[in-house]
């Protein structure tokens, strides 16, 4: 059921856009749902966006540019092809296009693109909103084991094209890279709330892979 999401998107569009009418929000919401459904995705879909927005609602007070953060969370995975390495860049470009349709300012669009870029998680995000967006995107890592287990299985399904051996190598490399970081989470709030559990979850998964097990 996308109705609650649609209403939320409409409210955001009314706040950030220049046109203040339903046509652009309807058009862009249909574009969003189409992008998040193609290709068919087990994890990087609208359920992931719902989860990110729910986490954001619980920490909204930490954001400086609240609408920019929410818009970035909506769009950060709108382009996702698991065999490509430039999904975040392409998602940022798509976000800029949608922001343009809504009549957002160039400054707003630039900030959103910068926020989406941090979801690559290849380097430490900047303080403030970039760190918040990065941590919200990674919040799944610090959930209770059944939720984490469902997430990792969904990731496995998205990369089934790679074959088991290649996926195992890539997944283990990702887990080790995350565990080698001094801090998985960049904000003090998420570090206190989720860091320990995220490390426990990833350690457990990594050990299973090292023992030769499959998801």
């Amino acid at each position: 059921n996308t109705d609650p999401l649609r209403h939320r998107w409409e409210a955001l569009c009314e706040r950030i856009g220049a046109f203040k009418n339903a046509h652009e929000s309807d058009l862009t919401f249909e574009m969003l749902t189409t992008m998040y459904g193609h290709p068919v995705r087990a994890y990087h879909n609208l359920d992931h966006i719902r989860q990110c927005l729910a986490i954001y609602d619980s920490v909204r007070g930490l954001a400086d540019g609240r609408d920019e953060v929410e818009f970035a969370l909506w769009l950060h995975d709108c382009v996702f092809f698991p065999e490509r390495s430039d999904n975040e860049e392409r998602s940022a470009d798509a976000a800029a296009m949608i922001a343009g349709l809504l009549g957002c300012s160039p400054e707003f669009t630039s900030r959103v693109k910068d926020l989406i870029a941090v979801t690559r998680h290849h380097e430490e995000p900047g303080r403030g909103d970039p760190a918040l967006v990065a941590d919200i995107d990674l919040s799944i890592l610090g959930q209770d084991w059944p939720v984490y287990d469902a997430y990792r299985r969904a990731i496995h399904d998205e990369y089934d094209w790679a074959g088991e051996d290649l996926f195992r190598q890539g997944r283990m490399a990702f887990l080790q890279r995350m565990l080698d970081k001094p801090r998985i989470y960049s904000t003090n709030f998420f570090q206190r709330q989720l860091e320990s559990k995220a490390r426990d979850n990833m350690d457990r998964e990594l050990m299973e892979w090292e023992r030769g097990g499959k998801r």
Side-chain angles (χ1 to χ4, degrees), residues 64-76:
D64 295 319
R66 295 183 181 183
D67 289 338
E68 289 95 332
V69 168
E70 181 168 345
F71 195 80
L73 291 172
W74 271 98
L75 274 297
H76 75 281

Side-chain angles (χ1 to χ4, degrees), residues 132-188:
L132 184 63
V133 169
D135 283 1
I136 291 171
D137 189 35
L138 293 177
S139 61
I140 190 69
L141 301 177
Q143 303 305 309
D144 291 340
W145 177 257
V147 177
Y148 179 91
D149 188 44
Y151 142 76
R152 65 165 182 159
R153 290 172 184 271
I155 294 294
H156 184 281
D157 289 344
E158 285 185 340
Y159 285 86
D160 62 354
W161 57 271
E164 197 67 20
D165 288 343
L166 188 59
F167 176 80
R168 178 177 180 272
Q169 294 171 22
R171 185 65 181 172
M172 289 179 68
F174 165 77
L175 294 168
Q176 194 64 62
R177 177 167 63 84
M178 296 301 292
L179 289 167
D180 285 345
K181 291 184 174 184
R183 286 168 54 131
I184 294 167
Y185 296 103
S186 299
T187 62
N188 289 332

Side-chain angles (χ1 to χ4, degrees), residues 16 21-22 33 84 92 100 118 207 213:
I16 66 175
N21 65 55
T33 56
R84 297 188 64 112
V118 306
M207 283 190 292

